[in-house]
PDB file of all heavy atoms in Angstrom:
ATOM      1  N   HIS A   1      -5.663   0.918  19.253  1.00  0.00           N
ATOM      2  CA  HIS A   1      -5.445   1.236  20.665  1.00  0.00           C
ATOM      3  C   HIS A   1      -4.225   2.136  20.849  1.00  0.00           C
ATOM      4  O   HIS A   1      -4.252   3.070  21.658  1.00  0.00           O
ATOM      5  CB  HIS A   1      -5.276  -0.046  21.478  1.00  0.00           C
ATOM      6  CG  HIS A   1      -6.543  -0.848  21.617  1.00  0.00           C
ATOM      7  ND1 HIS A   1      -7.767  -0.263  21.850  1.00  0.00           N
ATOM      8  CD2 HIS A   1      -6.765  -2.194  21.555  1.00  0.00           C
ATOM      9  CE1 HIS A   1      -8.695  -1.203  21.939  1.00  0.00           C
ATOM     10  NE2 HIS A   1      -8.117  -2.382  21.745  1.00  0.00           N
ATOM     11  N   THR A   2      -3.158   1.859  20.090  1.00  0.00           N
ATOM     12  CA  THR A   2      -1.944   2.672  20.237  1.00  0.00           C
ATOM     13  C   THR A   2      -2.168   4.084  19.721  1.00  0.00           C
ATOM     14  O   THR A   2      -1.708   5.064  20.326  1.00  0.00           O
ATOM     15  CB  THR A   2      -0.757   2.011  19.515  1.00  0.00           C
ATOM     16  OG1 THR A   2      -0.632   0.649  19.922  1.00  0.00           O
ATOM     17  CG2 THR A   2       0.542   2.747  19.835  1.00  0.00           C
ATOM     18  N   LEU A   3      -2.871   4.212  18.592  1.00  0.00           N
ATOM     19  CA  LEU A   3      -3.188   5.549  18.074  1.00  0.00           C
ATOM     20  C   LEU A   3      -4.057   6.320  19.072  1.00  0.00           C
ATOM     21  O   LEU A   3      -3.781   7.485  19.378  1.00  0.00           O
ATOM     22  CB  LEU A   3      -3.898   5.439  16.725  1.00  0.00           C
ATOM     23  CG  LEU A   3      -3.033   5.051  15.524  1.00  0.00           C
ATOM     24  CD1 LEU A   3      -3.919   4.766  14.305  1.00  0.00           C
ATOM     25  CD2 LEU A   3      -2.040   6.171  15.182  1.00  0.00           C
ATOM     26  N   PHE A   4      -5.084   5.669  19.583  1.00  0.00           N
ATOM     27  CA  PHE A   4      -5.993   6.340  20.515  1.00  0.00           C
ATOM     28  C   PHE A   4      -5.250   6.746  21.793  1.00  0.00           C
ATOM     29  O   PHE A   4      -5.458   7.831  22.332  1.00  0.00           O
ATOM     30  CB  PHE A   4      -7.163   5.418  20.880  1.00  0.00           C
ATOM     31  CG  PHE A   4      -8.015   5.001  19.703  1.00  0.00           C
ATOM     32  CD1 PHE A   4      -8.951   3.983  19.838  1.00  0.00           C
ATOM     33  CD2 PHE A   4      -7.885   5.612  18.461  1.00  0.00           C
ATOM     34  CE1 PHE A   4      -9.741   3.590  18.767  1.00  0.00           C
ATOM     35  CE2 PHE A   4      -8.669   5.224  17.377  1.00  0.00           C
ATOM     36  CZ  PHE A   4      -9.596   4.206  17.535  1.00  0.00           C
ATOM     37  N   LYS A   5      -4.380   5.847  22.267  1.00  0.00           N
ATOM     38  CA  LYS A   5      -3.624   6.131  23.484  1.00  0.00           C
ATOM     39  C   LYS A   5      -2.728   7.355  23.306  1.00  0.00           C
ATOM     40  O   LYS A   5      -2.457   8.089  24.265  1.00  0.00           O
ATOM     41  CB  LYS A   5      -2.780   4.905  23.859  1.00  0.00           C
ATOM     42  CG  LYS A   5      -1.990   5.059  25.152  1.00  0.00           C
ATOM     43  CD  LYS A   5      -1.223   3.785  25.473  1.00  0.00           C
ATOM     44  CE  LYS A   5      -0.129   3.530  24.452  1.00  0.00           C
ATOM     45  NZ  LYS A   5       0.690   2.339  24.808  1.00  0.00           N
ATOM     46  N   ASN A   6      -2.289   7.580  22.071  1.00  0.00           N
ATOM     47  CA  ASN A   6      -1.420   8.720  21.775  1.00  0.00           C
ATOM     48  C   ASN A   6      -2.209   9.920  21.240  1.00  0.00           C
ATOM     49  O   ASN A   6      -1.648  10.811  20.592  1.00  0.00           O
ATOM     50  CB  ASN A   6      -0.339   8.314  20.774  1.00  0.00           C
ATOM     51  CG  ASN A   6       0.739   7.464  21.412  1.00  0.00           C
ATOM     52  OD1 ASN A   6       1.684   7.972  21.991  1.00  0.00           O
ATOM     53  ND2 ASN A   6       0.593   6.144  21.307  1.00  0.00           N
ATOM     54  N   ASN A   7      -3.522   9.913  21.506  1.00  0.00           N
ATOM     55  CA  ASN A   7      -4.391  11.052  21.173  1.00  0.00           C
ATOM     56  C   ASN A   7      -4.478  11.343  19.683  1.00  0.00           C
ATOM     57  O   ASN A   7      -4.566  12.491  19.265  1.00  0.00           O
ATOM     58  CB  ASN A   7      -3.930  12.314  21.920  1.00  0.00           C
ATOM     59  CG  ASN A   7      -3.982  12.136  23.427  1.00  0.00           C
ATOM     60  OD1 ASN A   7      -4.964  11.615  23.967  1.00  0.00           O
ATOM     61  ND2 ASN A   7      -2.922  12.548  24.102  1.00  0.00           N
ATOM     62  N   VAL A   8      -4.436  10.290  18.882  1.00  0.00           N
ATOM     63  CA  VAL A   8      -4.650  10.435  17.437  1.00  0.00           C
ATOM     64  C   VAL A   8      -5.759   9.467  17.036  1.00  0.00           C
ATOM     65  O   VAL A   8      -5.580   8.243  17.082  1.00  0.00           O
ATOM     66  CB  VAL A   8      -3.373  10.127  16.635  1.00  0.00           C
ATOM     67  CG1 VAL A   8      -3.672  10.208  15.136  1.00  0.00           C
ATOM     68  CG2 VAL A   8      -2.256  11.089  16.994  1.00  0.00           C
ATOM     69  N   LYS A   9      -6.906  10.022  16.647  1.00  0.00           N
ATOM     70  CA  LYS A   9      -8.007   9.207  16.153  1.00  0.00           C
ATOM     71  C   LYS A   9      -8.244   9.565  14.693  1.00  0.00           C
ATOM     72  O   LYS A   9      -8.767  10.647  14.399  1.00  0.00           O
ATOM     73  CB  LYS A   9      -9.282   9.448  16.967  1.00  0.00           C
ATOM     74  CG  LYS A   9      -9.393   8.632  18.228  1.00  0.00           C
ATOM     75  CD  LYS A   9     -10.813   8.646  18.771  1.00  0.00           C
ATOM     76  CE  LYS A   9     -10.950   7.692  19.947  1.00  0.00           C
ATOM     77  NZ  LYS A   9     -12.354   7.611  20.417  1.00  0.00           N
ATOM     78  N   PRO A  10      -7.857   8.693  13.773  1.00  0.00           N
ATOM     79  CA  PRO A  10      -8.099   8.997  12.367  1.00  0.00           C
ATOM     80  C   PRO A  10      -9.584   9.194  12.090  1.00  0.00           C
ATOM     81  O   PRO A  10     -10.397   8.326  12.415  1.00  0.00           O
ATOM     82  CB  PRO A  10      -7.561   7.759  11.633  1.00  0.00           C
ATOM     83  CG  PRO A  10      -6.629   7.110  12.598  1.00  0.00           C
ATOM     84  CD  PRO A  10      -7.200   7.389  13.946  1.00  0.00           C
ATOM     85  N   GLY A  11      -9.917  10.329  11.491  1.00  0.00           N
ATOM     86  CA  GLY A  11     -11.322  10.566  11.158  1.00  0.00           C
ATOM     87  C   GLY A  11     -11.783   9.724   9.996  1.00  0.00           C
ATOM     88  O   GLY A  11     -12.978   9.436   9.849  1.00  0.00           O
ATOM     89  N   HIS A  12     -10.819   9.322   9.161  1.00  0.00           N
ATOM     90  CA  HIS A  12     -11.125   8.500   7.988  1.00  0.00           C
ATOM     91  C   HIS A  12     -10.206   7.278   7.988  1.00  0.00           C
ATOM     92  O   HIS A  12      -8.984   7.405   8.126  1.00  0.00           O
ATOM     93  CB  HIS A  12     -10.931   9.294   6.699  1.00  0.00           C
ATOM     94  CG  HIS A  12     -11.810  10.503   6.610  1.00  0.00           C
ATOM     95  ND1 HIS A  12     -13.069  10.471   6.056  1.00  0.00           N
ATOM     96  CD2 HIS A  12     -11.612  11.780   7.025  1.00  0.00           C
ATOM     97  CE1 HIS A  12     -13.613  11.681   6.112  1.00  0.00           C
ATOM     98  NE2 HIS A  12     -12.745  12.491   6.696  1.00  0.00           N
ATOM     99  N   VAL A  13     -10.786   6.105   7.822  1.00  0.00           N
ATOM    100  CA  VAL A  13     -10.036   4.851   7.787  1.00  0.00           C
ATOM    101  C   VAL A  13     -10.399   4.119   6.514  1.00  0.00           C
ATOM    102  O   VAL A  13     -11.588   3.915   6.216  1.00  0.00           O
ATOM    103  CB  VAL A  13     -10.348   3.979   9.019  1.00  0.00           C
ATOM    104  CG1 VAL A  13      -9.586   2.659   8.946  1.00  0.00           C
ATOM    105  CG2 VAL A  13     -10.012   4.726  10.312  1.00  0.00           C
ATOM    106  N   ILE A  14      -9.371   3.728   5.759  1.00  0.00           N
ATOM    107  CA  ILE A  14      -9.588   3.040   4.474  1.00  0.00           C
ATOM    108  C   ILE A  14      -8.868   1.700   4.514  1.00  0.00           C
ATOM    109  O   ILE A  14      -7.643   1.640   4.657  1.00  0.00           O
ATOM    110  CB  ILE A  14      -9.060   3.879   3.296  1.00  0.00           C
ATOM    111  CG1 ILE A  14      -9.674   5.286   3.303  1.00  0.00           C
ATOM    112  CG2 ILE A  14      -9.340   3.167   1.968  1.00  0.00           C
ATOM    113  CD1 ILE A  14      -9.006   6.239   2.333  1.00  0.00           C
ATOM    114  N   PHE A  15      -9.608   0.621   4.403  1.00  0.00           N
ATOM    115  CA  PHE A  15      -9.017  -0.712   4.298  1.00  0.00           C
ATOM    116  C   PHE A  15      -8.978  -1.109   2.826  1.00  0.00           C
ATOM    117  O   PHE A  15      -9.942  -0.891   2.084  1.00  0.00           O
ATOM    118  CB  PHE A  15      -9.825  -1.733   5.105  1.00  0.00           C
ATOM    119  CG  PHE A  15      -9.778  -1.488   6.584  1.00  0.00           C
ATOM    120  CD1 PHE A  15     -10.900  -1.055   7.272  1.00  0.00           C
ATOM    121  CD2 PHE A  15      -8.593  -1.680   7.287  1.00  0.00           C
ATOM    122  CE1 PHE A  15     -10.852  -0.827   8.637  1.00  0.00           C
ATOM    123  CE2 PHE A  15      -8.530  -1.449   8.656  1.00  0.00           C
ATOM    124  CZ  PHE A  15      -9.669  -1.019   9.336  1.00  0.00           C
ATOM    125  N   THR A  16      -7.855  -1.671   2.413  1.00  0.00           N
ATOM    126  CA  THR A  16      -7.705  -2.012   1.001  1.00  0.00           C
ATOM    127  C   THR A  16      -7.047  -3.380   0.858  1.00  0.00           C
ATOM    128  O   THR A  16      -6.865  -4.115   1.828  1.00  0.00           O
ATOM    129  CB  THR A  16      -6.906  -0.926   0.267  1.00  0.00           C
ATOM    130  OG1 THR A  16      -6.916  -1.193  -1.141  1.00  0.00           O
ATOM    131  CG2 THR A  16      -5.457  -0.857   0.748  1.00  0.00           C
ATOM    132  N   THR A  17      -6.698  -3.732  -0.368  1.00  0.00           N
ATOM    133  CA  THR A  17      -6.155  -5.053  -0.711  1.00  0.00           C
ATOM    134  C   THR A  17      -4.690  -4.912  -1.101  1.00  0.00           C
ATOM    135  O   THR A  17      -4.071  -3.884  -0.881  1.00  0.00           O
ATOM    136  CB  THR A  17      -6.945  -5.650  -1.879  1.00  0.00           C
ATOM    137  OG1 THR A  17      -6.668  -4.889  -3.071  1.00  0.00           O
ATOM    138  CG2 THR A  17      -8.446  -5.608  -1.608  1.00  0.00           C
ATOM    139  N   TYR A  18      -4.143  -5.960  -1.711  1.00  0.00           N
ATOM    140  CA  TYR A  18      -2.772  -5.914  -2.231  1.00  0.00           C
ATOM    141  C   TYR A  18      -2.746  -5.583  -3.726  1.00  0.00           C
ATOM    142  O   TYR A  18      -1.687  -5.548  -4.332  1.00  0.00           O
ATOM    143  CB  TYR A  18      -2.065  -7.251  -2.023  1.00  0.00           C
ATOM    144  CG  TYR A  18      -1.789  -7.609  -0.592  1.00  0.00           C
ATOM    145  CD1 TYR A  18      -1.356  -8.897  -0.264  1.00  0.00           C
ATOM    146  CD2 TYR A  18      -1.948  -6.691   0.441  1.00  0.00           C
ATOM    147  CE1 TYR A  18      -1.102  -9.253   1.049  1.00  0.00           C
ATOM    148  CE2 TYR A  18      -1.690  -7.028   1.759  1.00  0.00           C
ATOM    149  CZ  TYR A  18      -1.265  -8.310   2.055  1.00  0.00           C
ATOM    150  OH  TYR A  18      -1.002  -8.665   3.356  1.00  0.00           O
ATOM    151  N   GLN A  19      -3.897  -5.399  -4.320  1.00  0.00           N
ATOM    152  CA  GLN A  19      -3.976  -5.140  -5.764  1.00  0.00           C
ATOM    153  C   GLN A  19      -3.706  -3.664  -6.011  1.00  0.00           C
ATOM    154  O   GLN A  19      -4.424  -2.802  -5.520  1.00  0.00           O
ATOM    155  CB  GLN A  19      -5.345  -5.533  -6.301  1.00  0.00           C
ATOM    156  CG  GLN A  19      -5.437  -5.464  -7.826  1.00  0.00           C
ATOM    157  CD  GLN A  19      -6.694  -6.132  -8.343  1.00  0.00           C
ATOM    158  OE1 GLN A  19      -7.329  -6.895  -7.631  1.00  0.00           O
ATOM    159  NE2 GLN A  19      -7.039  -5.857  -9.588  1.00  0.00           N
ATOM    160  N   GLU A  20      -2.668  -3.380  -6.786  1.00  0.00           N
ATOM    161  CA  GLU A  20      -2.262  -1.989  -6.962  1.00  0.00           C
ATOM    162  C   GLU A  20      -3.253  -1.203  -7.811  1.00  0.00           C
ATOM    163  O   GLU A  20      -3.681  -0.113  -7.431  1.00  0.00           O
ATOM    164  CB  GLU A  20      -0.873  -1.919  -7.600  1.00  0.00           C
ATOM    165  CG  GLU A  20      -0.301  -0.505  -7.657  1.00  0.00           C
ATOM    166  CD  GLU A  20       1.126  -0.484  -8.156  1.00  0.00           C
ATOM    167  OE1 GLU A  20       1.949  -1.267  -7.638  1.00  0.00           O
ATOM    168  OE2 GLU A  20       1.423   0.312  -9.066  1.00  0.00           O
ATOM    169  N   LYS A  21      -3.619  -1.755  -8.963  1.00  0.00           N
ATOM    170  CA  LYS A  21      -4.514  -1.040  -9.874  1.00  0.00           C
ATOM    171  C   LYS A  21      -5.575  -1.997 -10.409  1.00  0.00           C
ATOM    172  O   LYS A  21      -5.412  -3.216 -10.367  1.00  0.00           O
ATOM    173  CB  LYS A  21      -3.731  -0.441 -11.053  1.00  0.00           C
ATOM    174  CG  LYS A  21      -2.667   0.571 -10.645  1.00  0.00           C
ATOM    175  CD  LYS A  21      -1.912   1.066 -11.873  1.00  0.00           C
ATOM    176  CE  LYS A  21      -0.833   2.068 -11.498  1.00  0.00           C
ATOM    177  NZ  LYS A  21      -0.070   2.539 -12.676  1.00  0.00           N
ATOM    178  N   ASP A  22      -6.659  -1.427 -10.925  1.00  0.00           N
ATOM    179  CA  ASP A  22      -7.688  -2.245 -11.562  1.00  0.00           C
ATOM    180  C   ASP A  22      -7.068  -3.053 -12.697  1.00  0.00           C
ATOM    181  O   ASP A  22      -6.307  -2.525 -13.508  1.00  0.00           O
ATOM    182  CB  ASP A  22      -8.812  -1.359 -12.128  1.00  0.00           C
ATOM    183  CG  ASP A  22      -9.601  -0.685 -11.012  1.00  0.00           C
ATOM    184  OD1 ASP A  22      -9.608  -1.230  -9.894  1.00  0.00           O
ATOM    185  OD2 ASP A  22     -10.190   0.385 -11.269  1.00  0.00           O
ATOM    186  N   GLY A  23      -7.396  -4.340 -12.736  1.00  0.00           N
ATOM    187  CA  GLY A  23      -6.898  -5.173 -13.825  1.00  0.00           C
ATOM    188  C   GLY A  23      -5.575  -5.846 -13.538  1.00  0.00           C
ATOM    189  O   GLY A  23      -5.131  -6.696 -14.313  1.00  0.00           O
ATOM    190  N   ASP A  24      -4.908  -5.491 -12.441  1.00  0.00           N
ATOM    191  CA  ASP A  24      -3.664  -6.172 -12.105  1.00  0.00           C
ATOM    192  C   ASP A  24      -3.939  -7.636 -11.776  1.00  0.00           C
ATOM    193  O   ASP A  24      -4.948  -7.948 -11.133  1.00  0.00           O
ATOM    194  CB  ASP A  24      -2.998  -5.508 -10.892  1.00  0.00           C
ATOM    195  CG  ASP A  24      -2.228  -4.251 -11.273  1.00  0.00           C
ATOM    196  OD1 ASP A  24      -2.090  -3.998 -12.478  1.00  0.00           O
ATOM    197  OD2 ASP A  24      -1.773  -3.530 -10.363  1.00  0.00           O
ATOM    198  N   PRO A  25      -3.036  -8.551 -12.176  1.00  0.00           N
ATOM    199  CA  PRO A  25      -3.286  -9.993 -11.999  1.00  0.00           C
ATOM    200  C   PRO A  25      -2.992 -10.470 -10.589  1.00  0.00           C
ATOM    201  O   PRO A  25      -2.165 -11.332 -10.354  1.00  0.00           O
ATOM    202  CB  PRO A  25      -2.315 -10.619 -13.004  1.00  0.00           C
ATOM    203  CG  PRO A  25      -1.165  -9.662 -13.044  1.00  0.00           C
ATOM    204  CD  PRO A  25      -1.782  -8.286 -12.888  1.00  0.00           C
ATOM    205  N   ILE A  26      -3.690  -9.896  -9.605  1.00  0.00           N
ATOM    206  CA  ILE A  26      -3.444 -10.271  -8.226  1.00  0.00           C
ATOM    207  C   ILE A  26      -3.798 -11.723  -7.947  1.00  0.00           C
ATOM    208  O   ILE A  26      -3.220 -12.357  -7.067  1.00  0.00           O
ATOM    209  CB  ILE A  26      -4.234  -9.338  -7.272  1.00  0.00           C
ATOM    210  CG1 ILE A  26      -3.784  -9.563  -5.811  1.00  0.00           C
ATOM    211  CG2 ILE A  26      -5.724  -9.545  -7.396  1.00  0.00           C
ATOM    212  CD1 ILE A  26      -2.405  -9.093  -5.524  1.00  0.00           C
TER     213      ILE A  26
END
């Protein structure tokens, strides 16, 4: 809502985890 209100709509949105790299012992 805050981004949209300030006229910035990300064309790409990526949700991720806390695991930095493949194989990390998260």
Side-chain angles (χ1 to χ4, degrees):
H1 290 319
T2 309
L3 286 171
F4 299 168
K5 183 178 67 176
N6 285 275
N7 299 315
V8 177
K9 275 195 173 185
H12 300 270
V13 178
I14 305 169
F15 294 111
T16 187
T17 69
Y18 293 169
Q19 188 168 343
E20 187 174 311
K21 299 178 181 179
D22 292 335
D24 280 352
I26 190 69

